[in-house]
């Protein structure tokens, strides 16, 4: 069976969900086109999505094209929900990137295109809304070449843009052959020798290069009138590659979405890349990377696949398909089913804001914790933090719209009235130098039956946390090494100033344990024998002592920004940028317009974006995206309240962790 898993991506309000509705209508899956304004679309099923007219969660629906089955995944367009897009990208065979013919290329369009190119996902572009007033196909085409990629092939042109009767007229322009020849020397030689290429040669080259993500065909049309949509459907069929995978190979898949069923049971959305998963099969699942530890195994109790606009219960799901799976109670988003595939890492920046959730009158704290835990299951980047000392719950955010969505979801789905404190920036810590510490079993004030020695060293930016051994792996049971490594990674969630510590290497330099002891005719004697709890208890003390000797530096997230504004407004704009600690790196004059590019602290982005229209007579365009972390060089170093047992305070830590307190 010919299968294709297709993603629809766009910036907010480009008409992505409307295009999905038009596609389903054009292929006969639905009899009536839903409306975003009226909340009647097929893929926006959440009540909140219908109320706000935006996509918040990815949704899957299928349709046939000439014997092929397309699983179409509608994704959010608002940048606050970029984590939802990230999970979907890893399961796609191809994509359609929607650009508005009125608003043109937006900041989110550039972020998405860069990621699609990085992953080499074959992508078609659809310039939507050619029937809207202000539509300008040629202007958008120039912007695509300049700001997205020059490797585009217009598949036709928009006639009468900006009018209700705007049409898409198919036909390759003269420049198409030049673009194709740039990526194929054989084609270039034939073109130079004969001065032209046969239509069949051009079609073959167009399909081959599109499927290899070397070039990107561009279509024009309108999701509302249906103009150009049939041509786009033909492009999906002819220019995007089918799903691959050996159904007889080892089972391998990826979970990209988890939701709760009517009875509260977990339902996992998974793309199968290899093998065939059957009902009643027992499957392992765990971290979605090679070498990741398998956490659990579960038995699949039911399977459904998407077919002709609905999901159908089946006995098995083969490679290439997307399915819903029941029975895997401990499954999480990002888990690999069976054999893990190579992980491409995070595609987008992590959230840089967090806020404390404030329960409203009568809101039960335990119910709120349960509700937020369930939301975090569906969106791991929510980053739920529980401060037991202050009895506070914090969540991570990409922006203020996401805060509103969390608030409305808690009210609608859980009956909980909550508010939020002002959002604050999430910083990180990195070691400055090298530090080491060790505590020996049955020596000094060590109350744990364990020896742990650790050395902490800086690593290159972006390296994450590495764990190494300088001791023999067979010198003690593997479970104790695993307990140390897991505890190291958990403990580094809060450094000397309370922020997550990254970009470092932790090396285990010493180890030791008390072998299992038992008295005659009696059972295991815990007081004389090491357990994993001893290593989990001692490791935070040793690690934080080593980290204290290494020292850490607190860094704040920085965004790269791009501002396009009338040149005569710079006098008002520059002082505001300076007050926000924005540093322009390049300035370029384009006639009456000036282009500024530089970097700015993430905490200032929201305020600048809000003030820009007033400073530029409404003509300024602001674009920003996370770029890197930079050391804080102003004011006092921000501290984050600890939510652990505080291994920086030995006495407090031991009182909380163990009853065997040493002197």
């Amino acid at each position: 069976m010919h299968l294709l898993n297709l993603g629809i991506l766009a910036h907010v309000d480009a008409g992505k969900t409307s295009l999905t509705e038009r596609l389903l209508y054009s292929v006969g899956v639905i009899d009536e086109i839903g409306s975003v304004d009226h909340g009647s679309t097929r893929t926006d099923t959440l009540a909140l999505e219908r109320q706000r007219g935006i996509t918040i969660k990815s949704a899957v629906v299928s349709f046939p094209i000439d014997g092929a089955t397309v699983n179409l995944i509608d994704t959010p367009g608002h940048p606050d929900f970029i984590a939802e897009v990230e999970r979907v990208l890893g399961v796609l065979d191809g994509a359609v990137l929607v650009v508005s013919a009125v608003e043109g290329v937006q900041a989110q369009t550039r972020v998405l295109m860069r990621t699609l190119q990085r992953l080499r996902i074959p992508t078609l572009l659809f310039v939507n809304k050619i029937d809207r007033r202000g539509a300008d196909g040629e202007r958008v085409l120039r912007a695509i070449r300049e700001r997205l990629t020059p490797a585009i092939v217009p598949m036709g042109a928009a006639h009468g843009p900006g009018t209700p009767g705007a049409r898409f007229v198919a036909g390759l322009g003269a420049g198409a052959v030049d673009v194709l020849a740039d990526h194929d020397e054989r084609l270039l030689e034939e073109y130079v020798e004969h001065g032209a290429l046969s239509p069949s040669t051009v079609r073959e080259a167009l399909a081959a290069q599109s499927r290899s993500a070397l070039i990107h065909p561009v279509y024009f049309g309108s999701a509302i009138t249906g103009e150009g949509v049939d041509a786009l459907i033909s492009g999906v069929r002819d220019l995007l590659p089918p799903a691959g995978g050996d159904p007889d190979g080892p089972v391998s898949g990826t979970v990209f979405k988890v939701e709760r069923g009517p009875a509260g049971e977990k339902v996992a959305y998974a793309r199968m890349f290899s093998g065939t998963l059957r009902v009643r099969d027992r499957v392992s699942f765990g971290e979605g990377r090679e070498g990741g530890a398998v956490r659990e195994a579960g038995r699949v109790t039911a399977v459904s696949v998407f077919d002709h606009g609905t999901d159908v219960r089946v006995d098995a799901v083969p490679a290439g398909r997307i399915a819903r799976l029941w029975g895997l109670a401990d499954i999480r988003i990002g888990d690999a089913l069976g054999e893990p595939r190579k992980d491409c890492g995070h595609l987008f920046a992590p959230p840089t804001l967090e806020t404390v959730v404030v329960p409203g009158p009568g809101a039960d704290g335990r119910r709120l914790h349960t509700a937020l835990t369930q939301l975090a299951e569906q969106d791991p980047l929510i980053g739920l933090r529980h401060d037991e000392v202050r009895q506070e719950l914090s969540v991570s955010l990409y922006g203020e719209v996401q805060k509103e969505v969390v608030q409305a979801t808690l009210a609608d789905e859980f009956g909980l009235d909550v508010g939020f404190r002002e959002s604050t920036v999430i910083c990180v810590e990195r070691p400055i130098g090298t530090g080491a510490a060790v505590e020996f079993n049955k020596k000094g004030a060590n109350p744990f039956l364990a020896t742990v020695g650790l050395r902490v060293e800086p690593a290159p930016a972006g390296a994450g946390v590495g764990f190494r051994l300088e001791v023999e792996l067979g010198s003690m049971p593997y479970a104790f090494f695993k307990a140390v490594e897991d505890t190291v990674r958990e403990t580094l969630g809060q450094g000397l100033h309370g922020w997550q510590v990254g970009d470092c290497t932790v090396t285990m330099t010493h180890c030791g344990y008390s072998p299992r002891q038992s008295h005659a005719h009696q059972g295991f004697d815990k007081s004389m024998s090491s357990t994993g709890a001893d290593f989990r208890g001692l490791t935070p003390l040793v690690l934080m002592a080593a980290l204290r000797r290494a020292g850490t530096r607190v860094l704040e997230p920085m965004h790269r920004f791009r501002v396009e504004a009338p040149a005569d407004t710079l006098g008002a704009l520059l002082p505001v940028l300076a007050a926000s600690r924005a540093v322009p790196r390049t300035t370029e004059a384009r006639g009456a317009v000036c282009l500024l590019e530089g970097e700015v602290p993430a905490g200032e982005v929201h305020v600048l974006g809000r003030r820009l229209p007033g400073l530029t007579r409404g003509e300024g365009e602001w674009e920003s995206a996370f770029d890197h972390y930079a050391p804080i060089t102003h004011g006092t170093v921000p501290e984050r309240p600890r939510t652990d047992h505080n291994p920086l305070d030995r006495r407090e830590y031991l009182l909380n962790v163990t009853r065997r307190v040493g002197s």
Side-chain angles (χ1 to χ4, degrees), residues 31 42 45 117 132 177-178 348 440 450 473 498 564 609 660:
D31 298 325
R42 174 63 67 95
T45 56
Q117 290 176 316
R132 296 285 184 89
V177 174
D178 295 333
F348 304 108
F440 294 97
L473 188 59
E564 193 170 309
R660 294 185 294 166

Side-chain angles (χ1 to χ4, degrees), residues 179-202:
V179 175
L180 293 171
D182 284 343
H183 298 91
D184 189 333
E185 291 186 4
R186 181 188 56 81
L187 206 66
L188 179 60
E189 291 173 1
E190 183 178 342
Y191 182 51
V192 171
E193 183 177 343
H194 300 287
L197 297 174
S198 67
S200 61
T201 300
V202 172

Side-chain angles (χ1 to χ4, degrees), residues 195-234:
L197 297 174
S198 67
S200 61
T201 300
V202 172
R203 284 195 301 270
E204 290 173 7
L206 182 64
Q209 293 188 27
S210 298
R211 289 171 180 169
S212 300
L214 295 174
I215 58 102
H216 306 283
V218 181
Y219 296 85
F220 297 83
S222 167
I224 298 300
T225 67
E227 189 63 31
V229 173
D230 287 342
L232 177 64
I233 291 173
S234 297

Side-chain angles (χ1 to χ4, degrees), residues 443-499:
K443 290 187 179 180
N446 178 10
F448 302 101
L449 294 178
T451 293
V452 174
L454 298 171
R455 184 174 66 248
V456 179
E457 301 168 283
V465 175
F467 183 80
R468 298 175 182 172
L469 297 178
E470 270 186 8
V471 294
E472 292 292 335
L473 188 59
S475 56
M476 68 179 186
Y478 174 74
F480 295 162
F481 285 114
K482 190 68 172 66
V484 172
E485 180 178 0
D486 290 347
T487 307
V488 162
R489 297 186 184 280
E490 180 182 348
T491 304
L492 288 177
Q494 300 182 72
L496 302 182
H497 301 279
W499 304 103

